[in-house]
């Protein structure tokens, strides 16, 4: 393992049907990056198939959620000396062809780069409720962080060396995507968005229902307001 290279952190939960394909595609398209799969307590063969495909694997003893998965990946990166982390999902939706744009932003000095589904790339479709929720949260987060954010819930993002060290120590417990943007802004880290492509899931379906989406929007809004008044 060459820790001078960057690290792709894939978050996965019960993705045995697609994780090997996702890892293999990343290793072929981005051979200069190591791949770490954070298996969040899967009950299937996710970890075994990821390891067989050539990824490093961290396994949680049981399902802890996205925030814990991202925190584990960043802690691994910090302890192993990586200077760049690209976080992606294990379901194949995040296109490896968009990774170079995130890396270019990090190499320019940005510490947190968000892969935006809404920054000029017409590859992502969602329900009207999710679009409304995204626009509401984008407006709130942009106001609180004093920076225009178009995709506050994107899980396709990159971390520079300062952000890796910071979030390895202090990480949001519930909603890492929007909360970490605000935390990074309050630390004075340079933040940027780049346009990325999204693809259909290779397997499975989203767990978000309209009621869950509305509940998520309300809880995230409250969490952001609490983060804004928390002492730095």
């Amino acid at each position: 393992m060459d820790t001078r290279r960057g690290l792709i952190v894939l978050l996965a939960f019960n993705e045995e049907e697609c994780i090997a394909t996702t890892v293999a595609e990343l290793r072929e398209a981005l051979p200069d990056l190591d791949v770490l799969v954070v298996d969040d307590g899967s009950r299937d063969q996710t970890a075994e198939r990821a390891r067989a495909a050539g990824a490093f694997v961290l396994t949680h003893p049981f399902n802890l959620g996205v925030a814990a998965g991202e925190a584990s990946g960043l802690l691994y990166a910090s302890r192993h000396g990586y200077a760049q982390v690209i976080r992606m999902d294990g379901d194949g939706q995040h296109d490896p062809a968009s990774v170079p744009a995130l890396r270019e932003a990090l190499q320019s000095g940005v510490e947190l780069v968000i892969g935006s589904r809404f920054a000029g790339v017409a590859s992502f479709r969602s329900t009207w409720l999710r679009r409304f929720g995204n626009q509401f949260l984008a407006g709130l987060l942009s106001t609180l962080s004093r920076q225009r954010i178009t995709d506050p819930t994107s899980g396709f993002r990159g971390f520079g060396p300062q952000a890796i060290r910071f979030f390895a120590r202090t990480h949001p417990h519930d909603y890492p995507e929007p909360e970490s943007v605000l935390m990074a802004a309050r630390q004075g880290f340079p933040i940027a968005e780049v346009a990325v492509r999204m693809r259909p899931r290779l397997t499975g379906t989203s767990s978000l229902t309209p009621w869950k989406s509305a509940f998520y929007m309300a809880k995230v809004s409250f969490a952001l307001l609490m983060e804004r008044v928390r002492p730095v």
Side-chain angles (χ1 to χ4, degrees):
M1 176 173 55
D2 183 357
T3 56
R4 293 171 298 177
R5 308 201 304 182
L7 179 70
I8 293 175
V9 173
L10 285 177
L11 306 188
F13 176 62
N14 292 339
E15 298 287 1
E16 67 175 9
E17 294 183 20
C18 62
I19 193 65
T21 301
T22 301
V23 169
E25 182 183 20
L26 286 168
R27 295 189 69 211
E28 180 178 358
L30 303 161
D32 60 326
L33 294 177
D34 292 331
V35 179
L36 170 71
V37 171
V38 180
D39 171 27
D40 193 22
S42 296
R43 298 182 298 273
D44 59 11
Q45 297 295 307
T46 293
E48 291 81 358
R49 295 188 181 185
R51 194 174 289 111
F56 300 108
V57 177
L58 278 179
T59 300
H60 291 163
F62 46 84
N63 184 247
L64 296 172
V66 172
E70 183 173 282
S72 292
L74 290 170
L75 183 60
Y76 179 97
S78 178
R79 289 181 174 177
H80 289 83
Y82 287 97
Q84 287 187 359
V85 167
I86 304 295
R87 185 208 128 176
M88 306 173 70
D89 291 342
D91 59 12
Q93 279 194 298
H94 295 156
D95 191 341
S98 296
V99 170
L102 275 74
R103 297 187 71 193
E104 183 177 349
L106 294 174
Q107 289 161 359
S108 74
V110 169
E111 284 293 329
L112 177 62
V113 56
I114 303 157
S116 175
R117 297 163 288 185
F118 308 106
V121 178
S123 64
F124 182 72
R125 297 289 184 269
S126 63
T127 64
W128 70 267
L129 182 59
R130 294 185 69 175
R131 290 195 300 272
F132 170 79
N134 183 83
Q135 291 171 2
F136 176 84
L137 291 176
L140 177 62
L141 185 55
S142 297
T143 300
L144 295 176
S145 65
R146 297 183 174 89
Q147 176 164 340
R148 184 171 184 265
I149 302 296
T150 65
D151 196 351
T153 62
S154 173
F156 194 0
R157 55 223 207 105
F159 300 82
Q162 293 183 64
I164 292 170
R165 291 191 294 270
F166 174 74
F167 287 114
R169 300 190 312 268
T170 306
H171 196 271
H173 296 294
D174 293 316
Y175 307 105
E177 296 90 355
E179 287 186 73
S180 61
V181 174
L182 183 53
M183 291 171 70
R186 299 187 70 200
Q187 291 296 316
F189 293 157
I191 302 170
E193 282 191 327
V194 300
V196 296
R197 289 188 68 254
M198 291 287 288
R199 306 181 298 191
R201 291 173 60 96
L202 293 178
T203 61
T205 58
S206 173
S207 62
L208 283 178
T209 64
W211 281 111
K212 286 183 178 180
S213 296
F215 185 63
Y216 173 86
M217 182 176 65
K219 287 193 69 176
V220 171
S221 299
F222 181 74
L224 289 174
L225 293 171
M226 292 299 97
E227 169 60 30
R228 186 65 183 87
V229 299
R230 183 182 63 82
V232 177

